[in-house]
Amino acid sequence: QQKYWTQIANYFKDYGDHLLFAGSNEPNVHDAAGMTILMSYHQTFIDAVRATGGNNSSRTLVIQGPSTDITNTNTYMKTMPVDIIANRLMVEVHYYTPWNFCGLNEDASWGKMFYYWGKDFHSTTEITRNATWGEESEMDRLLGLMKTKFVDKGIPVIIGEYGAFRRKLNAPSDQTLHNASIEYFYRYFQKSATKNGLITYCWDTGGIFNFTTGKTIDRVVLKAIMQGAKDATTATKVVIDKGIEVYPNPFTTTLHFKIDHPNEIDRIAIYDLLGCQVEMIENSAINNSLIVGYALPPNIYVVCVYGTNWSKSFKVVKK
């Protein structure tokens, strides 16, 4: 592990901060003893990367939870590895719940394939293919665990993989209802993940995009993902001058900025009601899309946007 990451990190150490390193992929850990071993691998990975210097001294590193499973991560990942620089680690988990619906391609001894998912998308004629677990409330619960354990403590979480793969069904199975279930799964998942402050990466095996041409194959699923993100940000927007849009307000996890001309902003500062600065974003970190407020506790805050010879301020509420 140490030799691998020393070689990798040395090769890429001059790359910018858009490049992230993840030290493992779906590490096969299911208990506390395995978690102890995994943490030693994570620590070796971090120490090796940091020792190479250059941009690796502050590069964000991805720490995968045990099996990248949310339940295992919530249960066994008691702490984060040690890093010489603060706020440069993020956690990764994956989401394929329930597997019967998301990925199972033939009936197994432990369960049957689910074709229909979601409270309004169950079949009345093929009830044995309806999801019996892992639907909306369970999705909200699982994603909420990551918010409570990490996001609320200022540790970013990415869902490095998620997806539900469309099947080709034969009569008497209902292909139209199955397709609607797939669309709803993506939309509801993105909404729930966004509300919980989680960043998502859809695992596309070629069903949404053609990897050779880049052409969109499944616009329905793509639209569902984008709509899910919009569904999560329907609270009142604060629109201010200089082409800046801020939402949602109130917010529960993060505050989003859309900025037309980021080069015209010198800095963005957030103050508590006592006037103490609790977060600062300098010009070099400001771009068209900005997310702030991960580590802030629930309270009322004043956001100040400073430009050259101008400033704007407004109140926001974190629930």
Side-chain angles (χ1 to χ4, degrees):
Q1 182 82 339
Q2 193 274 339
K3 290 181 179 179
Y4 278 140
W5 279 105
T6 298
Q7 293 173 41
I8 294 167
N10 270 324
Y11 185 88
F12 290 105
K13 68 180 180 181
D14 294 327
Y15 279 59
D17 61 4
H18 288 85
L19 174 65
L20 311 180
F21 291 152
S24 59
N25 182 55
E26 298 188 345
N28 188 20
V29 171
H30 305 277
D31 55 32
M35 188 68 226
T36 299
I37 297 170
L38 177 59
M39 286 296 287
S40 74
Y41 273 79
H42 286 331
Q43 193 64 61
T44 298
F45 157 63
I46 293 170
D47 293 345
V49 171
R50 295 292 184 235
T52 62
N55 289 338
N56 293 329
S57 298
S58 59
R59 188 178 309 285
T60 297
L61 305 180
V62 180
I63 306 302
Q64 289 199 336
S67 304
T68 56
D69 175 80
I70 288 178
T71 299
N72 283 346
T73 300
N74 186 64
T75 302
Y76 299 118
M77 199 165 174
K78 305 293 187 182
T79 186
M80 295 290 285
V82 177
D83 195 3
I84 60 174
I85 184 171
N87 301 320
R88 289 296 186 273
L89 300 180
M90 62 171 61
V91 172
E92 179 181 353
V93 290
H94 296 169
Y95 195 95
Y96 297 108
T97 301
W99 184 247
N100 311 59
F101 178 73
C102 292
L104 192 65
N105 55 19
E106 62 180 14
D107 291 340
S109 59
W110 53 266
K112 300 181 68 172
M113 290 183 290
F114 296 157
Y115 298 160
Y116 315 112
W117 187 94
K119 60 183 178 65
D120 297 323
F121 297 91
H122 283 192
S123 172
T124 58
T125 59
E126 197 179 19
I127 60 175
T128 60
R129 296 299 183 182
N130 291 333
T132 58
W133 67 284
E135 295 187 281
E136 295 96 332
S137 61
E138 179 67 356
M139 181 182 285
D140 290 336
R141 185 188 73 83
L142 289 171
L143 298 179
L145 290 176
M146 295 296 92
K147 176 182 182 296
T148 300
K149 191 174 186 72
F150 299 111
V151 175
D152 287 349
K153 298 174 183 176
I155 302 169
V157 176
I158 60 172
I159 308 293
E161 295 181 19
Y162 79 95
F165 307 116
R166 191 190 310 277
R167 301 174 177 88
K168 292 184 178 179
L169 305 181
N170 297 314
S173 297
D174 189 335
Q175 183 72 57
T176 300
L177 186 60
H178 173 64
N179 291 346
S181 297
I182 293 289
E183 178 184 356
Y184 177 64
F185 175 91
Y186 278 99
R187 180 172 177 173
Y188 193 92
F189 175 84
Q190 189 61 55
K191 175 183 177 181
S192 184
T194 302
K195 281 191 171 182
N196 282 289
L198 312 177
I199 304 302
T200 63
Y201 292 85
C202 178
W203 184 258
D204 180 22
T205 58
I208 301 176
F209 296 100
N210 182 305
F211 296 159
T212 301
T213 65
K215 181 180 178 181
T216 302
I217 300 171
D218 194 334
R219 292 192 177 277
V220 172
V221 165
L222 182 59
K223 182 179 179 181
I225 294 171
M226 297 174 70
Q227 185 60 52
K230 292 178 181 178
D231 291 344
T233 55
T234 55
T236 303
K237 294 182 179 180
V238 175
V239 181
I240 62 178
D241 293 342
K242 305 296 180 181
I244 304 169
E245 196 171 84
V246 185
Y247 62 92
N249 186 26
F251 67 103
T252 57
T253 305
T254 56
L255 190 64
H256 296 243
F257 285 74
K258 287 186 177 180
I259 304 170
D260 290 344
H261 305 289
N263 59 307
E264 296 180 2
I265 298 176
D266 294 332
R267 67 190 189 281
I268 298 173
I270 302 177
Y271 302 92
D272 63 20
L273 291 182
L274 297 177
C276 297
Q277 181 178 294
V278 293
E279 190 165 348
M280 167 70 79
I281 304 92
E282 299 287 355
N283 174 267
S284 59
I286 297 173
N287 51 42
N288 294 105
S289 181
L290 188 66
I291 300 175
V292 302
Y294 271 117
L296 299 180
N299 209 332
I300 299 173
Y301 297 94
V302 177
V303 178
C304 294
V305 181
Y306 298 95
T308 303
N309 301 320
W310 64 270
S311 66
K312 296 287 181 179
S313 63
F314 51 92
K315 289 183 180 179
V316 297
V317 178
K318 184 169 186 179
K319 291 184 176 180

